[in-house]
Each structure stands twice: as structure tokens, then as C-alpha cells.
Amino acid sequence: QQVKLDIGARHGLTPKLRLEVWRPLPAADKVGELEVVSVDSATATARLVKLTKDIRKQGESLRPGDRVISPKRPPKDRRTPL
């Protein structure tokens, strides 16, 4: 399964980068993992690598509004201030 992300190279995404997928509050549950396949400046395409056991048992998959995060942080000199 492939998904389109509304973030891209200008947000630090690169091909083969692994991202965690989290369901937003109130539960804040980890849903699974994605691997970035292709990137342009503002968007990316990723493939679903893994769903958590709980999500599979419930017969669910990714939903619009699920959030992605990278477990890797950029070096301090490359972080952009908020």
C-alpha cells in the first residue's frame, strides 16, 4: 500500500527514510511504519512497511489525519527554529 504525504524534501525527507505513523489524540497510538519511496520539494510517496498488531486485529489501516514522525532528528546545526 502506498500513501501520499504532504511533506517533502524541504522538510528533510529523503528516499528510504523510515517514518513512524501515529494516530492523533486522544489515544496517541502508534499505527505502523512507512518507508519513503520518492520525494519532491513539497510532497512524498511512501509505502506501508508495517502495521501494529492491534491495528491489524481491528481490520484497520492508515487513516487521513494520522501523523508521521521520524525517529531520527537532524543534527543541531540543521534544525530550523520554531
Side-chain angles (χ1 to χ4, degrees):
Q1 180 181 5
Q2 289 194 341
V3 294
K4 188 83 165 181
L5 305 174
D6 61 356
I7 56 176
R10 79 176 111 161
H11 299 97
L13 294 188
T14 59
K16 297 185 181 180
L17 178 70
R18 288 276 180 122
L19 301 168
E20 293 180 351
V21 182
W22 287 79
R23 194 81 11 109
L25 296 174
D29 293 327
K30 184 175 177 182
V31 176
E33 292 181 14
L34 298 172
E35 183 177 285
V36 177
V37 176
S38 63
V39 180
D40 66 25
S41 64
T43 62
T45 302
R47 70 179 177 88
L48 182 61
V49 176
K50 179 178 171 184
L51 279 176
T52 61
K53 186 185 273 187
D54 293 339
I55 297 296
R56 283 194 318 261
K57 277 185 181 179
Q58 296 169 11
E60 292 189 46
S61 189
L62 304 178
R63 294 185 198 162
D66 285 347
R67 297 176 180 249
V68 294
I69 62 166
S70 172
K72 295 183 180 181
R73 294 182 64 157
K76 285 185 179 183
D77 61 331
R78 294 187 57 204
R79 291 184 195 158
T80 54
L82 297 177

